[in-house]
Amino acid sequence: MGATFAFAESRDGNLRKVAFEAVTAARQAADASGGGEVHALIVGAPGIAARAAELGKYGADAVAVAEDAGLERYSPEVFAATSAERLRTGAYRAGFFAASAQGRDLAPRVAARLGVSLASDVTDFEIQGDAVLARHPAYTGKVIVTLRLVGAPALLSLRPGAVAAVEQPRVARVEAVAPAIAPGAARVVVTEVSQRSAAKLDLGEASVIVSGGRGLRAPENFKLVEDLAAAFGNAAVGATRAVTDDGWRPATDQIGQTGRVVSPNLYVALGISGAVQHLAGMRTAKTIVAINRDKDAPIFKVADYGIVGDLFEILPRLTEEIKKARASQ
Amino acid sequence: MLKIAVCLKRVPEMELRFSIAADRKSLDQGGLKYEISDFDGYALEVGLRLVEKEGAGEVVVLCVGPDGVQETIRKALAIGAARAVHLKADEVPFDGLAIAKALAAELKDGGYDLILFGRMATDTASGTVGPMTAELLDLPCVTALSHLEIANGRGTARRDLEGATETVEFPLPAVLTIDEGIARPRLASLKGIMAAKKKPLEVKPAQLGQVSLTVEAMAMPPERAGGRIIGEGSDAVPELVRLLRTEAKVL
Ligand SMILES: Cc1cc2nc3c(=O)[nH]c(=O)nc-3n(C[C@H](O)[C@H](O)[C@H](O)COP(=O)(O)OP(=O)(O)OC[C@H]3O[C@@H](n4cnc5c(N)ncnc54)[C@H](O)[C@@H]3O)c2cc1C
């Protein structure tokens, strides 16, 4: 029997989708090692404990909550020390984090504190005896590496969206714990935060991403991309580096090797050529749609559905038809 | 005086075609060409600029790997680093913790004000070595910086988190990992290339310790069933919407 651990990421008083994915993975790992318990950890500002029960829905047996007024924002040192302390309390088989911006910072710190190895940005894993096998796209997504992690706990960070959250409801015990170090003692201090509008859906959370490339021709034409995203209801807007470099969209919208790596259910590429560096960020999407006027554009090689043509002609109609299709459901 | 270490990785050029070797767990070495990992190039540039601005100090390059990495190290020296340490290992493990241990052992008593890394190596795409090294050395650490200023023994940095940009402050010494775009990396000058040949390059064994994350297999990604063009122009839209609903089931 092996208990497993999941770090449940939160933001602005709510659990993020990646938190449910981490708990789902921890549940799968525990079941595959003979059915141990899943223990989750939430770290945040006072009030976050009210969210703990939600993790039970995805298979957590116990949720430890470290609340402190100084933890409204991510504090690497406090989060890492508290995660490491929780992982030391039990004989955990495996521990799961999100490979989100926060998790990519947090998980390696926790691993080093515990002196164990970490498989990063994992898209799929299995328990094999004493080892954990983890798949990870490397070399800008051109090679899939299967990693063998030995020792316990085996730590993994999961690519957002790669492991779908699955409900396996149970009633989770909730326990308040103290942060392992006082937030005031952290050496790295956040002095300013410029928040983007809260209404905007994050690329890592979105099940549909509509992205635009240089084919949009001008920043104001991204209105067409935003309209299509709005028609899907639950879509975020992404961009290529050609677009973010020119300042048409913020750098944080960039998808690819040097930007965000995403795995949505649906990725719609509009006026994007499909350079390898862009593909590195989206090729694990479940379904890819491409619209490009060049029938030889490399994006069509990875697209499940391609339309060759002028996006300025196609987009308005597509937005209308998507709206209609969703209204008729 | 600023003493800055820049930890570099030698990686294959990513634009090339890769194929898997017969052991099914490594890349076919034939035809591979190597370069400084993208983000590490930015880290080097940041280090050089900081020392230039300070007017005193040096940038020391550290690199773990087989003898072949000395070519990469010479490139960094040609670009402007003052000296280098080659931590020799027959191969570079995938295990970030093992690499971090080897680097931490060398950096521990080095008296560095800043230890810089790229946000991640482009080959393993893991981004673990920087923050792990920081933890092993018990130093403050900021990852994925897009902006950096150093003054009076303190640093101010900006990093993009999903949906927000944070400004953080930290004391030196510190470990930082650098995102791209922070500063355009300079190229080596002819003078730099000549000078690099005479710059000190110390070789020591890499103390990697136990490796507990290994490559079990490598494979090309499954070919996407892509390549399906369903039509031309807006007349193809109804068919696309039908497929999204009935086949992909995303509506
Ligand atoms: C080290 C490095 C890292 C990089 N990292 C990234 C990264 O993280 N993300 C990233 O995206 N890129 C990255 N790049 C850049 C990448 O190589 C490409 O240059 C970039 O992705 C191209 O963006 P694009 O597709 O928008 O533009 P283009 O390549 O110019 O493609 C525009 C496309 O729009 C089509 N088009 C034009 N007009 C229309 C129309 N009216 N209707 C329909 N289609 C039209 C064209 O046929 C063309 O295919 C990186 C490059 C390097 C060297």
Side-chain angles (χ1 to χ4, degrees):
Chain A
M1 280 229 318
T4 58
F5 171 90
F7 181 84
E9 191 171 318
S10 58
R11 182 192 288 165
D12 303 332
N14 287 305
L15 292 168
R16 302 191 66 199
K17 190 169 145 220
V18 289
F20 306 129
E21 294 170 4
V23 170
T24 299
R27 180 76 264 156
Q28 287 167 2
D31 291 347
S33 1
E37 288 207 329
V38 172
H39 297 174
L41 170 66
I42 307 177
V43 182
I48 193 73
R51 301 277 158 216
E54 290 171 29
L55 297 178
K57 238 203 284 182
Y58 297 89
D61 298 285
V63 183
V65 188
E67 289 186 334
D68 190 289
L71 294 175
E72 196 176 329
R73 300 207 56 81
Y74 173 57
S75 168
E77 290 160 70
V78 183
F79 280 51
T82 308
S83 303
E85 188 176 271
R86 296 314 301 168
L87 275 157
R88 281 196 200 98
T89 60
Y92 292 108
R93 177 79 190 76
F96 295 87
F97 294 79
S100 56
Q102 185 187 109
R104 279 173 171 268
D105 184 274
L106 175 62
R109 295 174 191 259
V110 176
R113 277 168 191 258
L114 297 173
V116 300
S117 294
L118 165 72
S120 289
D121 190 28
V122 168
T123 52
D124 185 16
F125 69 93
E126 73 194 69
I127 304 283
Q128 199 189 68
D130 286 340
V132 177
L133 297 186
R135 258 167 296 282
H136 162 61
Y139 299 89
T140 64
K142 288 173 156 185
V143 177
I144 307 297
V145 180
T146 303
L147 296 166
R148 168 181 287 271
L149 264 166
V150 293
L155 299 190
L156 297 88
S157 70
L158 303 169
R159 176 173 291 197
V163 174
V166 180
E167 295 194 13
Q168 288 133 301
R170 56 192 70 204
V171 178
R173 310 185 296 276
V174 179
E175 177 198 359
V177 297
I181 58 173
R187 295 167 294 188
V188 178
V189 202
V190 178
T191 53
E192 201 187 311
V193 181
S194 64
Q195 196 84 35
R196 283 211 280 155
S197 80
K200 211 166 154 182
L201 188 60
D202 185 77
L203 287 167
E205 305 266 293
S207 57
V208 177
I209 294 176
V210 184
S211 281
R214 205 184 338 242
L216 266 295
R217 274 198 221 132
E220 57 273 19
N221 294 332
F222 267 80
K223 172 87 173 52
L224 293 170
V225 181
E226 277 163 3
D227 288 347
L228 178 59
F232 278 109
N234 54 350
V237 173
T240 62
R241 182 159 118 178
V243 161
T244 55
D245 271 359
D246 284 350
W248 297 2
R249 303 294 293 181
T252 44
D253 284 0
Q254 182 182 318
I255 289 173
Q257 177 189 327
T258 48
R260 299 283 299 277
V261 176
V262 294
S263 236
N265 275 333
L266 175 63
Y267 189 89
V268 184
L270 305 167
I272 292 177
S273 59
V276 289
Q277 295 93 350
H278 187 75
L279 299 182
M282 42 65 77
R283 71 180 311 148
T284 55
K286 288 189 189 67
T287 300
I288 297 173
V289 170
I291 299 178
N292 195 304
R293 67 174 176 200
D294 171 9
K295 69 171 182 8
D296 297 321
I299 190 74
F300 285 128
K301 293 213 181 71
V302 300
D304 300 279
Y305 310 119
I307 299 183
V308 178
D310 180 5
L311 65 89
F312 295 99
E313 183 229 345
I314 298 166
L315 267 186
R317 177 140 180 217
L318 180 57
T319 301
E320 277 321 300
E321 297 277 343
I322 295 288
K323 271 192 207 152
K324 261 196 263 164
R326 290 191 65 239
S328 72
Q329 302 223 325
Chain B
M1 247 291 277
L2 268 183
K3 194 171 173 191
I4 299 179
V6 177
C7 302
L8 296 177
K9 190 171 189 191
R10 179 189 76 151
V11 299
E13 286 182 12
M14 293 297 149
E15 286 69 26
L16 299 174
R17 274 189 78 91
F18 294 129
S19 53
I20 311 292
D23 68 359
R24 313 305 297 156
K25 54 166 82 176
S26 61
L27 288 185
D28 194 340
Q29 299 293 306
L32 288 189
K33 281 201 267 175
Y34 294 94
E35 62 185 2
I36 297 174
S37 177
D38 219 23
F39 299 97
D40 300 352
Y42 288 100
L44 177 60
E45 179 63 31
V46 166
L48 293 172
R49 286 190 190 194
L50 287 173
V51 168
E52 281 160 8
K53 188 155 171 255
E54 178 80 10
E58 62 171 356
V59 170
V60 182
V61 161
L62 275 73
C63 186
V64 176
D67 286 333
V69 305
Q70 290 196 5
E71 195 190 324
T72 309
I73 290 175
R74 289 285 173 206
K75 263 187 215 157
L77 293 172
I79 290 169
R83 58 187 179 87
V85 183
H86 169 203
L87 298 174
K88 196 170 160 167
D90 292 341
E91 60 180 77
V92 184
F94 212 98
D95 191 345
L97 188 62
I99 301 170
K101 281 181 180 163
L103 290 170
E106 172 61 25
L107 291 162
K108 186 160 52 83
D109 301 314
Y112 294 101
D113 300 296
L114 283 174
I115 299 168
L116 306 181
F117 290 85
R119 170 162 75 85
M120 64 179 189
T122 48
D123 57 352
T124 51
S126 296
T128 58
V129 177
M132 283 178 165
T133 305
E135 291 292 340
L136 296 176
L137 296 171
D138 192 23
L139 289 177
C141 169
V142 186
T143 60
L145 304 188
S146 56
H147 184 82
L148 173 66
E149 268 162 55
I150 302 289
N152 309 320
R154 288 187 71 77
T156 308
R158 209 162 56 217
R159 68 184 303 253
D160 293 325
L161 280 180
E162 289 147 8
T165 303
E166 278 187 356
T167 306
V168 297
E169 274 184 30
F170 55 89
L172 303 193
V175 175
L176 308 174
T177 81
I178 308 294
D179 206 344
E180 67 152 7
I182 188 165
R184 185 184 290 269
R186 69 194 69 184
L187 300 171
S189 64
L190 192 59
K191 194 165 143 244
I193 295 170
M194 296 313 289
K197 294 186 178 142
K198 288 185 237 100
K199 287 181 177 173
L201 195 174
E202 210 182 332
V203 185
K204 298 179 180 181
Q207 298 170 38
L208 294 165
Q210 192 200 332
V211 170
S212 48
L213 176 74
T214 51
V215 175
E216 174 86 356
M218 276 191 187
M220 295 318 226
E223 280 292 323
R224 285 195 72 97
R228 178 165 162 207
I229 291 183
I230 59 168
E232 283 181 27
S234 62
D235 290 346
V237 166
E239 174 65 358
L240 173 61
V241 174
R242 188 188 70 79
L243 288 165
L244 288 178
R245 188 169 38 198
T246 58
E247 200 176 83
K249 300 193 167 54
V250 287
L251 280 179

